Amino acid sequence: MFGMRVRLALAEKGLKYEYKEEDLRNKSPLLLEMNPPICESLIIVQYIDEVWHDKSPLLPSDPYQRAQARFWADYVDKKLYGLGRKVWSTKGEEQETAKKEFIECLKLLEVELGEKPYFGGEKIGFVDVALVTFSCWFYAYESFGNFSIEAECPKLIAWTKRCKEKESVSSSLEDPHKVHGFVMGMRKRFGIE
């Protein structure tokens, strides 16, 4: 999910790149030599936005709006990732609590989205990049958590569909069924199945 953010930011800016899968526990010498040592996907996206600021800016130019975008992207990272993991990796009461909190987070994001087409306003912005990558995990969350995000948060699903209409987004996201298969493997490895 996090690498997808970087691919999406590069695609939004129209920057060409070569995508290669890497074993993060055993990084190749080429990766270490050719890339600046920048960690964390949101920081990498900010770096890309600053270096190529003249191409489709992701962060607003207004300092207050920029701070707000960083706040909401951080909220996505700190809240949704952990709660989403609990939705697929737990059972019973713990899972029910995680589902409830997960949906509450999504509903709060719907309020923040308001009537805008994107969190960035009329075009995809920093928060959109941070959040839309979670959408390919929605099928897994729904399947293992036995709930419907669309029934709970229709506005957010409409936003997701709008984002996926953009080539930069659709070409950067993983297939939800592939993610589901990955999660199923993780659940077996953790002894949840």
Side-chain angles (χ1 to χ4, degrees), residues 109-110 112-125 127-129 131-132 154-166 169:
L109 287 163
E110 276 190 323
E112 177 58 23
L113 176 61
E115 298 304 317
K116 302 179 300 242
Y118 302 105
F119 286 92
E122 293 301 314
K123 59 186 184 68
I124 284 187
V127 179
D128 300 287
V129 171
L131 180 58
V132 76
K155 217 175 185 181
L156 194 67
I157 295 301
W159 163 83
T160 300
K161 290 175 182 175
R162 195 166 33 258
C163 287
K164 288 180 180 179
E165 289 173 359
K166 293 187 59 76
V169 176

Side-chain angles (χ1 to χ4, degrees), residues 19 24 48 59 91 95-97 100-101 106 115-116 123 126 128 139 145 165 177 182:
Y19 177 72
L24 296 180
I48 290 166
L59 282 161
K91 289 183 172 183
Q95 185 184 53
E96 290 303 313
T97 300
K100 182 178 179 251
E101 290 177 15
L106 294 179
E115 298 304 317
K116 302 179 300 242
K123 59 186 184 68
F126 189 62
D128 300 287
Y139 173 60
E165 289 173 359
H177 294 283
F182 169 77

Side-chain angles (χ1 to χ4, degrees), residues 48-188:
I48 290 166
D49 198 44
E50 289 174 14
V51 171
W52 292 279
H53 58 86
D54 57 327
K55 297 180 177 186
S56 302
L58 299 170
L59 282 161
S61 58
D62 177 75
Y64 176 75
Q65 291 175 349
R66 198 166 47 247
Q68 288 294 98
R70 287 181 175 136
F71 169 83
W72 286 108
D74 187 57
Y75 176 86
V76 166
D77 264 6
K78 288 184 175 160
K79 289 292 213 173
L80 283 187
Y81 177 76
L83 290 171
R85 184 179 174 95
K86 283 183 180 179
V87 167
W88 66 258
S89 68
T90 61
K91 289 183 172 183
E93 192 174 313
E94 187 177 2
Q95 185 184 53
E96 290 303 313
T97 300
K99 277 192 320 193
K100 182 178 179 251
E101 290 177 15
F102 183 79
I103 290 166
E104 286 173 7
C105 286
L106 294 179
K107 286 184 177 192
L108 183 58
L109 287 163
E110 276 190 323
V111 170
E112 177 58 23
L113 176 61
E115 298 304 317
K116 302 179 300 242
Y118 302 105
F119 286 92
E122 293 301 314
K123 59 186 184 68
I124 284 187
F126 189 62
V127 179
D128 300 287
V129 171
L131 180 58
V132 76
T133 56
F134 280 86
S135 68
C136 58
W137 286 73
F138 285 178
Y139 173 60
Y141 298 149
E142 292 172 324
S143 175
F144 297 113
N146 194 30
F147 70 107
S148 167
I149 295 173
E150 187 162 21
E152 297 287 343
C153 304
K155 217 175 185 181
L156 194 67
I157 295 301
W159 163 83
T160 300
K161 290 175 182 175
R162 195 166 33 258
C163 287
K164 288 180 180 179
E165 289 173 359
K166 293 187 59 76
E167 173 65 24
S168 60
V169 176
S170 62
S171 66
S172 300
L173 298 181
E174 289 292 339
D175 179 287
H177 294 283
K178 182 178 176 183
V179 172
H180 183 273
F182 169 77
V183 171
M184 189 174 291
M186 294 295 288
R187 286 173 57 93
K188 285 180 183 170

Side-chain angles (χ1 to χ4, degrees), residues 22 26-35:
E22 281 281 338
N26 187 24
K27 295 177 182 143
S28 70
L30 180 63
L31 176 69
L32 297 173
E33 290 170 20
M34 299 301 291
N35 292 294

